Amino acid sequence: MTGVYENQADIYLEARPTYPSDWYTKLAALSHRHHLAWDAGTGNGQAAIGIAEHFDRVVATDVSETMLNLGKPHPKVTYHHTPPSMTEDEMVNLIGGGENSVDLITVATAVHWFDLPRFYAIANRLLRKPGGIIAVWSYNTDMVVSPEFDSVMARFNAETIPYCKFPESRYFLDGYKTLPFPFESVGMGSEGKPIELEMKKTVSFEGFLRMLRSWSAVGAAKAKGVDLLSDNVVKELEMAWGGSELVRTIVYKTFMLAGTGRN
């Protein structure tokens, strides 16, 4: 599902938080080899570049050419457009050159939009056995700034829920607790039991507002003629924040599932 972000990809990528580097270190430590990694739904390649610090080569794919055009260059990372029309065999050959060839597969804040049976079938074919690792993670609207701001934000979140009507939304709204994940646990979450993590971003109110404007629910509401970020709402959020120029640290509640392929 890319349409919500196509017209504001640059805003989306600028505003979103950065994944901690120690996540990549931990995932690399679980993998038996470090030759090839695949970052699916890569966007601008944030996770792919983090992974490249630990692997010889990273293949980064996305269905959105708009996002890929914003991909950050890195000598170990190659970007590929993978439209839904590609067959499973084409995907396997493009990414790994064959089955049983990929040491780590990652999906950062994207797997909930995927055709899960198709993606998992491709992933299971590609994962090296034994020792290949797959990890998916995301975050949702659950964040902490300050008691005053959090209460105002909770009301805003409640207003967005009616516009989270994409079937896939339920997965990230419930913290991946209902996300199918047919892989053997490696001690970093398992199907129905994702591990809970935290991710921090220091930003001004204007930066935070840009992040809100990139939300899929905000875009969906706007497409229906509803402005969830009206002037009054923005003023209320800004007052609770403490002013447009004030810099605060947002703590995002994050969740991850990691596993290995089943023979």
Side-chain angles (χ1 to χ4, degrees), residues 34-73:
H34 301 91
H35 298 313
L36 176 63
W38 171 30
D39 184 44
T42 195
N44 73 332
Q46 181 193 147
I49 290 173
I51 295 162
E53 298 302 312
H54 304 277
F55 288 80
D56 297 335
R57 187 164 69 92
V58 180
V59 175
T61 65
D62 206 295
V63 299
S64 169
E65 289 185 283
T66 303
M67 289 291 195
L68 288 172
N69 287 337
L70 297 171
K72 300 175 181 178

Side-chain angles (χ1 to χ4, degrees), residues 36 55 59 72 95 101 110 114 120 134-135 148 159 168 193-194 199 201 221 248-249 260:
L36 176 63
F55 288 80
V59 175
K72 300 175 181 178
I95 294 159
S101 59
F114 288 8
Y120 287 150
I134 179 171
E148 181 181 4
E159 293 295 324
E168 304 88 350
K193 298 178 180 179
M199 181 169 55
K201 183 177 180 68
R248 286 188 177 276
T249 298
T260 191

